[in-house]
Each structure stands twice: as C-alpha cells, then as structure tokens.
C-alpha cells in the first residue's frame, strides 16, 4: 500500500496546499475572522461568546472564506425548513429542493 506523495510534483502540490492553508488562516486571523475563534481552546470550551459576536454583526454574516454564517436560531430554523434551498447528492445526481 502506497502512502504519501509518490512523485516530486505530488510532494510540491501537497506542501503548497499546506502553506496556502496556513497563509489563508493567518490572513483570516489578521482580519479578525470570528469563525477561527471556534478553533481555539477557549472557543471550544465556551462557544457562546463567539456566537454573540456573530449576533452583534447581524443575522447573516459574510465570512472571510466567502460563505455566510449565522447564530440566529430563528433564521437557522427558517433556512433549514425552506424549500428555496436544496441539497445536491453528487453520487446520485439528485437535487432535493431548489
């Protein structure tokens, strides 16, 4: 069983991916991205202050990664029950919802 990169090109792509990820996290940390606070020991132990930071920014908060986050329970409930949003199964190719 082969493990890890087998060629120099694969090793370079692997290393580049690691450093790209580290650079992204550093830029996000500098920008004050609250999502990263969930990754800290304090954020895992007590996530409620992070949730409050999200709530203070509004119902839908754009993140550094380019998606939207929310800590608003009513909005989460509304979104997860809405037929306006769908889930696409890449294995079957079936999309449930819109």
């Amino acid at each position: 069983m082969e493990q890890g990169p087998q060629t120099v090109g694969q090793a370079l792509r692997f290393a580049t991916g690691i450093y790209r990820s580290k650079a992204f996290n550093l830029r996000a940390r500098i920008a004050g991205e609250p999502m990263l606070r969930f990754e800290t020991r304090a954020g895992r132990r007590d996530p409620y202050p992070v949730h409050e930071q999200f709530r203070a920014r509004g119902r839908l908060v754009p993140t550094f990664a380019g998606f939207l986050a929310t800590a608003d329970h009513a909005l989460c409930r509304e979104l997860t029950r809405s037929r306006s949003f769908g889930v696409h199964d890449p294995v079957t190719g079936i999309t449930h919802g819109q």
Side-chain angles (χ1 to χ4, degrees):
M1 174 185 284
E2 296 178 8
Q3 293 182 347
Q6 301 302 308
T7 67
V8 173
Q10 288 175 331
L12 286 173
R13 283 190 294 279
F14 179 75
T16 300
I18 289 173
Y19 286 105
R20 188 174 289 139
S21 176
K22 288 182 178 290
F24 177 84
N25 281 342
L26 179 61
R27 288 193 316 268
R29 221 177 285 286
I30 291 169
E33 173 62 58
M35 288 293 283
L36 292 178
R37 293 195 180 105
F38 285 120
E39 296 177 8
T40 65
R41 182 175 290 149
R44 286 190 302 272
R45 187 175 53 246
D46 184 14
Y48 298 105
V50 182
H51 292 185
E52 288 304 319
Q53 289 177 334
F54 274 103
R55 286 187 190 102
R57 290 183 174 194
R59 291 185 81 196
L60 275 177
V61 179
T63 66
F64 192 79
F67 59 88
L68 297 172
T70 186
D72 185 295
H73 183 269
L75 181 58
C76 286
R77 183 178 171 88
E78 180 183 335
L79 291 173
T80 57
R81 286 168 172 67
S82 172
R83 291 276 186 195
S84 298
F85 298 93
V87 176
H88 179 73
D89 184 341
V91 176
T92 63
I94 297 172
T95 300
H96 304 277
Q98 297 176 355

